[in-house]
């Protein structure tokens, strides 16, 4: 019951956001069951979705023309697709600009000979389960929204049709593995993603991402990563609930709620994909040393001290330096270059 109320509330909220610009209905709806005496009035009634009488169990079949379906299609193929394109292109352009201006975030003290264990096998498995399934869901989902404009002209209608039909199976079945991945990530990382005072300082300094030599202290996850984690949890929950409602049509939601659910699913998916593009950037080309954490699970000690000084202090039983300033590698973690700070 609670789920149904939450679904209806979510659907109504999305409806208010989505149809704010839709043209208002001009004609009042004829009352259900009223004897429609002339053709014009009858067709106007049909166009406005008047409920007729049917003797079969599915009462929805009594609606000859479901006009909200047209609003739904216009919103999906209009603003949602268009703004979605701008959002995805925007994030790619923003990251390219950031890379051009800031370059790759280097390990400033240079590589250390020491490595620290950051993530165990279960954590990495859970992460990659979520990541691989997310990418498959994203690609097959984007194909449903944009494929007919982008892929179909390239491969022709037959191949596109087969591709999309298979893509839909992949999308439906893989979603369960994705949901499992999200649950595992929550179980494994919830505790390390609760807010701490260090997060405020990290945010105030913009994570030190914009300037070299500035590394605000952070525990296992910094505030930026916590935002990603909670983004994954909230958007993951929204996309899972709306996806299940779409997979089991009319089980809980009626026709109108199904349309709103579909619009909500697309909006959440586009936001989610944009967020994950930024996450993938920082986990690969954006930051030297970051990918190792999810690849072998072992990270460079200097990287760890620069980006997660409080975490290193915790696991090594050290006292964190009082000013939490830029990392000065001690003699034990100087690299072959003697720990000299590397030129940019
Ligand atoms: C090719 C795709 C991906 C790559 C290369 C990647 C890389 C990484 C790396 C290197 C880390 C560890 C960062 C650290 O040591 O502090 C990480 C953490 C994480 N990843 Fe991914 N990831 C990918 C896709 C995804 C996807 C699709 C999701 C979720 C839908 C996701 C969710 C997370 C979360 C919640 C964390 C912990 C918080 C954070 O570090 O931001 N990742 N990822």
């Amino acid at each position: 019951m609670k789920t149904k109320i939450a679904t209806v509330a979510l659907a109504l909220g999305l409806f208010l956001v989505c149809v704010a610009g839709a043209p208002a209905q001009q004609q009042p709806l004829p009352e259900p069951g009223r004897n429609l005496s002339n053709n014009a009035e009858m067709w106007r009634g049909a166009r406005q979705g008047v409920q007729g009488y049917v003797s079969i169990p599915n009462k929805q079949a009594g609606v000859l023309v479901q006009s909200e379906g047209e609003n739904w299609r216009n919103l999906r193929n209009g603003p949602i697709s268009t703004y979605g394109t701008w959002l995805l292109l925007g994030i790619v352009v923003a990251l390219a600009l950031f890379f051009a201006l800031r370059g790759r975030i280097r390990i400033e003290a240079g590589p250390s000979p020491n490595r620290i264990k950051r993530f165990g096998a279960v954590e990495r498995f859970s992460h990659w389960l979520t990541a691989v399934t997310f990418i498959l869901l994203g690609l097959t989902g984007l194909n449903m929204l944009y494929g007919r404009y982008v892929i179909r002209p390239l491969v022709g209608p037959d191949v596109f049709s087969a591709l999309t039909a298979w893509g839909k199976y992949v999308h439906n079945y893989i979603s369960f593995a994705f949901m499992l991945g999200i649950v595992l990530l929550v179980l494994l990382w919830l505790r390390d993603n609760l807010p701490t005072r260090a997060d405020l300082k990290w945010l105030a300094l913009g994570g030190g991402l914009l300037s070299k030599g500035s590394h605000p202290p952070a525990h296992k996850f910094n505030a930026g990563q916590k935002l990603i984690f909670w983004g994954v949890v909230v958007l993951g929950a929204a996309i899972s609930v709306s996806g299940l409602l779409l997979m089991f049509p009319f089980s809980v939601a009626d026709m109108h709620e199904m349309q709103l659910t579909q619009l909500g699913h697309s909006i959440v998916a586009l936001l989610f994909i944009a967020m994950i593009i930024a996450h993938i950037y920082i986990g690969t080309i954006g930051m030297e040393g970051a990918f190792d954490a999810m690849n072998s699970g072992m990270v460079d000690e200097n990287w760890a001290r620069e980006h997660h000084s409080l975490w290193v202090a915790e696991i090594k039983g050290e006292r964190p330096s009082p000013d939490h300033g830029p990392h000065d590698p001690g003699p034990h973690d100087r690299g072959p270059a003697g720990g000299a700070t590397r030129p940019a």
Side-chain angles (χ1 to χ4, degrees):
M1 185 62 190
K2 273 185 184 163
T3 324
K4 179 152 187 181
I5 294 172
T7 312
V8 174
L10 175 74
L12 281 177
L14 285 168
F15 176 75
L16 289 176
V17 172
C18 295
V19 299
Q25 299 273 351
Q26 298 296 315
Q27 302 288 336
L29 261 171
E31 287 160 28
R34 182 174 152 203
N35 186 17
L36 304 173
S37 53
N38 66 48
N39 258 353
E41 202 177 347
M42 186 195 80
W43 284 114
R44 198 176 305 122
R47 191 70 179 77
Q48 293 178 16
V50 71
Q51 173 78 46
Y53 172 77
V54 284
S55 56
I56 56 173
N58 179 11
K59 296 300 168 211
Q60 290 190 60
V63 177
L64 194 60
V65 179
Q66 211 269 335
S67 287
E68 283 92 358
E70 198 174 341
N71 295 341
W72 163 78
R73 193 172 50 246
N74 288 341
L75 281 168
R76 177 188 184 273
N77 296 344
I80 292 182
S81 298
T82 311
Y83 290 128
T85 311
W86 285 116
L87 176 69
L88 298 184
L89 289 179
I91 193 87
V92 171
V93 169
L95 290 170
L97 275 175
F98 181 73
F99 186 69
L101 295 174
R102 173 70 168 89
R104 191 167 204 216
I105 299 170
R106 295 278 184 185
I107 303 173
E108 286 181 24
S112 152
N114 304 330
R115 301 186 83 72
I116 301 183
K117 182 165 182 185
R118 182 147 171 82
F119 295 118
V122 176
E123 286 171 297
R124 281 177 288 137
F125 168 79
S126 306
H127 174 269
W128 288 119
L129 176 72
T130 317
V132 170
T133 51
F134 180 89
I135 290 169
L136 287 171
L137 287 165
L139 291 176
T140 49
L142 287 175
N143 180 48
M144 283 183 241
L145 199 55
Y146 297 113
R148 82 163 109 146
Y149 310 111
V150 181
I151 311 279
R152 195 183 133 131
L154 296 176
V155 298
D158 294 341
V159 175
F160 175 65
S161 153
L163 198 75
T164 306
W166 280 104
K168 185 69 180 79
Y169 285 124
V170 169
H171 198 85
N172 281 10
Y173 286 110
I174 276 234
S175 63
F176 293 100
F178 170 73
M179 289 185 252
L180 174 67
I182 299 263
V183 171
L184 290 173
L185 291 187
V186 170
L187 292 175
L188 290 166
W189 290 343
L190 182 74
R191 219 171 66 99
D192 290 320
N193 278 288
L194 296 176
T196 62
R197 272 207 327 202
D199 298 331
L200 295 177
K201 188 166 181 186
W202 192 95
L203 287 171
L205 293 171
L209 293 176
L210 298 175
S211 51
K212 291 182 181 142
S214 149
H215 291 295
H219 293 279
K220 180 156 183 176
F221 294 116
N222 61 42
Q225 291 176 298
K226 288 180 185 177
L227 289 174
I228 296 282
F229 173 83
W230 287 108
V232 167
V233 173
V234 172
L235 297 177
I239 212 156
S240 303
V241 171
S242 55
L244 286 169
L245 289 173
L246 292 172
M247 213 187 293
F248 301 102
F250 308 115
S251 51
V252 186
D254 64 18
M255 175 71 84
H256 192 44
E257 289 160 353
M258 287 297 299
Q259 289 160 347
L260 296 177
T261 305
Q262 194 285 329
L263 296 177
H265 191 75
S266 324
I267 294 170
V268 170
L270 289 163
L271 293 172
F272 208 165
I273 294 170
M275 183 180 87
I276 290 300
I277 290 175
H279 170 74
I280 293 175
Y281 166 81
I282 204 78
T284 53
I285 53 171
M287 181 185 281
E288 181 182 16
F291 189 74
D292 293 341
M294 274 305 157
N295 186 23
S296 62
M298 305 293 289
V299 288
D300 183 286
E301 182 168 333
N302 286 349
W303 175 88
R305 287 187 183 278
E306 284 176 8
H307 297 290
H308 300 277
S309 55
L310 300 174
W311 173 66
V312 177
E314 278 158 30
I315 56 169
K316 290 200 172 245
E318 299 167 355
R319 270 165 55 103
S321 84
D323 61 347
H324 304 307
H327 167 58
D328 173 21
H332 61 285
D333 64 348
R334 284 177 200 275
T341 301
R342 197 160 54 185

